[in-house]
Amino acid sequence: MKAAQQQQQQGAADSSRARTTPRLLQWQGTEPLPAIPDTNYAAFVLEIMAGHGDAVAVVEAETGRQRTYREVCGLVPRVSAGLAAAGVVPGDAVLFVTPTIMDYPLVLLSIVHRGATCVPVNANLSIDELVHVVRVSKASWAVVHEDSLEVAEAAFSLMPPGTLRQLWVLGDCATHRPNLTHLMTYSPEPPFTKAEGLEASTAVAMMPFSSGTTGLPKGVMLSHRNLLYTHIRTMYERSLQKRGRGVLGNVYKSVLVMLPVCHIYGHLMVLITLHHGGAVVFLRKFTPRKYLQAIQDFKVTFSPLVPHLVKFLTETPLLKEYDISSVKYFHSGAAPLTASTATSFTKKIRQPIGGGYGMTETSAVICTNRPSGPYNVNSVGKVAPYVQVKVVDVESGELVAEGVEGEVCVRGPNIMLGYANDPVATAATIDTDGWLHTGDIGYYDKDDFLYLTDRIKDLIKVKGYQVSPTELENILRKNEGVDDVAVVGVPHEKMGEAPRAYVVPRPGSAVRPHHLQQFLAERVAHYKRLAGGVKLVASIPRNSTGKVLRRQLVEGLSTPAAKL
């Protein structure tokens, strides 16, 4: 009896040590993971979409204009053929400047169908920002929404002659440029497939821009296989559930997308909905009444959000004026959602809100946190299928045990190929063993839930957008009244974080904070503006190597963040 008791105690001790021993986090499912196919991403998606026939695929919330799955599947090979006739060859980069509109999947899939690389960018970018994107991506072709045509043409005019081979306009404006509808008149052709030279694991299908872990925005090279990962993972997860039950049941019937489609979060919400045969309802610009009206009019079943919109829903009195009972699921992404906001939301809306963790560099999803599965409101969730996560000591790089903070690193088929034309930044982000270093600080618990607590990187998260302090500092230094400057993120009631500039004025200058705010506003997209204000200081704290000690600035904040 005594021996048995000792054996039991020893087993418990061994089990305890096993749990506290540093370990990798990975999917613990019992079913084998399906192979990710080596094929053209657009061809794969179109084959699935074709099975949805005459169901509505895309809808414009403002006008009710729509296209069926049959129409989209018929147009993609035609537009792809038109691109081929113009001279677009596999491997070419095609710039796609667009707001959140219903033609996004048509254009994206047509470019990828051809074997070219789609470079989606925000329609709000300034001329200088667009020039940077063109230089990094080496785009020589462009599809541009009519509202951004003037900015795009100005950007290409600053490039070497011959950079732009052709630009197609998306919209109805009168211009000497050819319209996208012209491409729809060509006879369809088959997609550029592996048999013709495409390697899904190495060919770049999409190049969204991200600031990565630091510095100026970088072109994230996502392969066909990277993008297919999400679809195969989703199919696998759905196969584990009974049809019609749980989050992956019928929530995709009508999905309201107002997220920027140039962002990986917005992109995936569109394409995963099309995978499931639902209708994507596009709302180009958010206003409280337009958003709630769209839910009511289109019987929206799923609303992906960002944290500041989650907070809006918990506070707005407008809910009483609209019927949003059709929504079965809300999801928050692109930036951290606090536990208190999530709890307040669920209490008021009486609907669950899911979340997770991801990056552009990881094809979005790293962890998922869904109310229908393992869920912890304080955590970013558990590691998704196919993905491995480890937490390492920031200095030594060694694995740390549960409950110990360290840098979060990720490995799997979802990891980007690298940053376009930037081998130094790529090597600094992805190590020789294939681990992507996220720059995020976190820890895991005994149940393998992951928690994020801080980030090494200096990026500012504004409404889910990544804003580089370095980029803003470089622009502000061009002002003749600025001697030195550092930009940090400060808490903001509506935006989550907002950029604030600490400026050392040049001796003898008459520079004023509002002058600097206006100076920057004229040169960047709206979300990069100094909504956190400008503070004039005598000096910027730096270490011995000259690196700005941003944390000292943040910890020394003496004035509240600006409100919009």
Side-chain angles (χ1 to χ4, degrees), residues 61 150 186 217 259 382 391 528:
E150 185 177 341
Y186 285 81
L259 307 163
K382 288 194 171 186
V391 182
K528 297 181 182 179

Side-chain angles (χ1 to χ4, degrees), residues 36-55:
I36 298 175
D38 191 14
T39 190
N40 181 289
Y41 176 63
F44 176 90
V45 172
L46 286 174
E47 184 176 354
I48 292 173
M49 288 174 60
H52 303 314
D54 291 319

Side-chain angles (χ1 to χ4, degrees), residues 381-545:
K382 288 194 171 186
V383 176
Y386 295 91
V387 179
Q388 289 182 315
V389 166
K390 67 177 181 179
V391 182
V392 301
D393 182 87
V394 175
E395 298 297 329
S396 69
E398 296 296 321
L399 283 174
V400 298
E402 66 184 48
V404 179
E405 288 189 351
E407 182 180 15
V408 178
C409 300
V410 187
R411 186 169 65 179
N414 56 326
I415 302 301
M416 67 171 179
L417 298 177
Y419 294 119
N421 302 302
D422 198 339
V424 174
T426 299
T429 304
I430 304 176
D431 64 29
T432 54
D433 292 322
W435 289 98
L436 184 142
H437 293 248
T438 66
D440 291 315
I441 298 297
Y443 66 94
Y444 59 95
D445 65 14
K446 62 182 179 61
D447 298 314
D448 287 354
F449 277 100
L450 184 67
Y451 303 79
L452 299 183
T453 57
D454 204 343
R455 59 182 187 260
I456 299 172
K457 54 192 177 185
D458 297 321
L459 294 179
I460 305 166
K461 284 275 191 173
V462 181
K463 293 186 176 181
Y465 289 111
Q466 294 181 354
V467 177
S468 164
T470 304
E471 179 185 12
L472 304 190
E473 289 163 0
N474 288 341
I475 295 172
L476 288 169
R477 286 193 181 97
K478 295 178 182 178
N479 186 289
E480 61 183 13
V482 175
D483 188 47
D484 198 4
V485 60
V487 175
V488 300
V490 297
H492 193 282
E493 190 171 87
K494 294 184 178 179
M495 302 168 71
E497 281 187 310
R500 171 182 285 179
Y502 288 80
V503 175
V504 179
R506 193 175 301 278
S509 71
V511 67
R512 295 289 182 268
H514 69 277
H515 292 155
L516 293 175
Q517 286 179 297
Q518 183 63 32
F519 179 84
L520 185 74
E522 293 172 355
R523 292 163 173 79
V524 297
H526 65 89
Y527 60 88
K528 297 181 182 179
R529 296 174 183 174
L530 297 172
V534 174
K535 187 173 182 180
L536 302 182
V537 295
S539 64
I540 301 295
R542 300 175 184 273
N543 66 12
S544 58
T545 63

